[in-house]
Amino acid sequence: MTHWFHRNPLKATAPVSFNFYGVASTQAASKICSDLRSTRARLLELFTDVTCNHEMMKNATDAYFSLLLGFINSLDGGTQDNKLRYIQNFKWTDTLQGTAPSAQQDAVYELASMGFNVALWYTKYASRLAGKEDITEDEAKEVHRSLKVAAGIFKHLKESHIPKLITPVEKGRDLETRVIDAYTVQCQAEAQEVTIARAIELKHNPGLIAALAYETANYYQKVDHALSSLDPIYIGKWRSYTQLKMCFYMAYSYCYHGQTLLSTDKCGEAIRSLQESEKFYGKAEALCKDYGQTKGPGTTAKPSGHLFFRKLGALVRNTLEKCQRENGFMLNPRKKKK
């Protein structure tokens, strides 16, 4: 099954020279500074390189971060700050709040910001693979893996690096808890979408699919809740996406729950479940229009025309019609015999 995911833009950054005249006085120190420049430039290049894959990104990330951590970790293994931590100024823009950069003279800020961009790249890589017409099983696994890696990076940054920043994170910016939480849970939700698609393809038990879809809808509700207290100017489009997906997977859940009820001849309950599915699908359809019309950071798309959306609409209609037919047969057995 092909997928559609909303994506916010990558963070942008100012060039960093790592020219520490008078500090990097030896040839070995100058080599480290040169390597920092080149590995940082290489990593930034890969963010927009469509040929970049999982392995290339990992190698580039490891190369840069292994050097950057030399400016952060204490050389003697103690708790005191490394004296090099505050020697270089770093500037980064925000994925939501436009092109005005924030700056901190702190290598931890660079680590958190660059790490955030790496996580975003994994989400974009997953989205690019998932949007293909005929996604293979191996590609679906790669999508799932990439989203799990992204969620892990966001979580690690929140727990291990962002709390160490000397300058508090500005409200509503990328490194703020609510935004990090939203990105993390969205990755979990989208990874589960891949699981659901696989379960449908393999014709797994409708009850299992209904449960997975319900859990996915709850994930999107959590994302929406995390975003709800942020400035709507910046997150309006993103919230339209989370609400759309929440309704979409509630429609899925009720649809497959209806199939489960139908299999046990509970036609009346199955019809009510499918009617609920229709309601949520209708809400999702309206939110598709809102998404397309809402201005703000993120993907420009018409999700209502996407294959993943159209397929659910047909499934809901066909399943409801089947329930109504079966219910008619049960109410009128003679008609069934004919």
Side-chain angles (χ1 to χ4, degrees):
M1 181 191 289
T2 186
H3 299 270
W4 167 74
F5 301 135
H6 168 92
R7 290 294 176 260
N8 292 323
L10 288 162
K11 295 164 75 67
T13 182
V16 180
S17 66
F18 293 106
N19 287 327
F20 303 127
Y21 301 114
V23 177
S25 56
T26 67
Q27 188 173 355
S30 297
K31 175 69 165 58
I32 290 172
C33 293
S34 175
D35 289 346
L36 275 163
R37 262 194 313 276
S38 62
T39 54
R40 188 180 197 264
R42 175 59 177 160
L43 183 52
L44 292 173
E45 284 174 7
L46 288 181
F47 287 147
T48 54
D49 184 348
V50 294
T51 66
C52 180
N53 58 32
H54 195 285
E55 186 179 359
M56 291 167 66
M57 179 54 62
K58 184 181 184 305
N59 290 340
T61 304
D62 288 348
Y64 179 56
F65 284 176
S66 64
L67 293 168
L68 185 66
L69 284 170
F71 283 64
I72 298 171
N73 295 338
S74 175
L75 298 178
D76 61 4
T79 57
Q80 288 190 334
D81 284 342
N82 188 319
K83 292 180 181 179
L84 297 174
R85 175 176 167 179
Y86 307 104
I87 199 171
Q88 177 70 57
N89 192 49
F90 299 95
K91 292 182 180 180
W92 284 90
T93 63
D94 196 78
T95 60
L96 299 174
Q97 296 190 21
T99 57
S102 294
Q104 290 193 35
Q105 195 153 323
D106 186 350
V108 173
Y109 177 67
E110 166 74 355
L111 178 67
S113 300
M114 187 69 84
F116 190 98
N117 243 21
V118 171
L120 272 186
W121 179 87
Y122 277 105
T123 70
K124 288 176 178 287
Y125 178 62
S127 181
R128 191 165 70 245
L129 282 179
K132 293 173 66 175
E133 282 293 329
D134 297 308
I135 182 170
T136 66
E137 182 181 347
D138 286 342
E139 286 170 334
K141 288 178 180 177
E142 184 73 354
V143 171
H144 191 274
R145 174 191 178 199
S146 297
L147 290 167
K148 287 292 186 182
V149 169
I153 294 172
F154 286 128
K155 187 172 183 289
H156 179 67
L157 293 176
K158 176 190 171 184
E159 294 176 354
S160 301
H161 297 295
I162 294 171
K164 295 178 183 176
L165 290 170
I166 300 300
T167 305
V169 177
E170 298 171 57
K171 288 187 177 180
R173 306 287 290 194
D174 285 335
L175 303 183
E176 205 242 314
T177 297
R178 292 171 294 178
V179 179
I180 287 275
D181 285 345
Y183 275 114
T184 304
V185 180
Q186 181 172 320
C187 288
Q188 293 170 331
E190 290 172 349
Q192 190 138 298
E193 287 192 54
V194 178
T195 302
I196 291 170
R198 185 66 178 154
I200 292 170
E201 186 181 334
L202 295 175
K203 302 188 186 310
H204 282 174
N205 187 294
L208 171 64
I209 297 171
L212 287 170
Y214 183 74
E215 188 177 29
T216 305
N218 283 337
Y219 275 137
Y220 279 112
Q221 190 172 37
K222 286 179 184 178
V223 179
D224 190 61
H225 179 73
L227 296 173
S228 62
S229 57
L230 296 171
D231 191 331
I233 293 174
Y234 301 116
I235 49 83
K237 195 174 190 71
W238 194 359
R239 285 196 72 191
S240 290
Y241 169 77
T242 61
Q243 292 165 9
L244 184 167
K245 283 292 185 82
M246 181 182 68
C247 291
F248 180 83
Y249 279 99
M250 284 301 293
Y252 248 126
S253 182
Y254 274 110
C255 181
Y256 278 91
H257 181 58
Q259 290 185 22
T260 302
L261 292 168
L262 184 62
S263 67
T264 56
D265 293 332
K266 295 178 180 177
C267 292
E269 292 178 46
I271 288 171
R272 286 192 292 274
S273 189
L274 266 296
Q275 287 170 340
E276 283 298 310
S277 182
E278 264 194 332
K279 287 179 187 177
F280 276 106
Y281 185 78
K283 289 178 182 178
E285 205 166 23
L287 285 163
C288 282
K289 294 178 183 177
D290 287 347
Y291 179 87
Q293 294 169 358
T294 303
K295 294 181 180 179
T299 316
T300 301
K302 293 182 178 179
S304 58
H306 200 284
L307 181 62
F308 89 97
F309 193 83
R310 299 199 312 270
K311 284 179 76 172
L312 175 59
L315 178 65
V316 172
R317 286 191 299 273
N318 293 339
T319 308
L320 179 57
E321 288 171 6
K322 183 179 179 181
C323 290
Q324 289 168 335
R325 282 197 307 273
E326 291 291 326
N327 194 49
F329 292 151
M330 291 183 73
L331 293 174
N332 190 355
R334 292 180 182 176
K335 189 176 181 180
K336 188 172 184 177
K337 288 178 182 177
K338 290 180 182 179

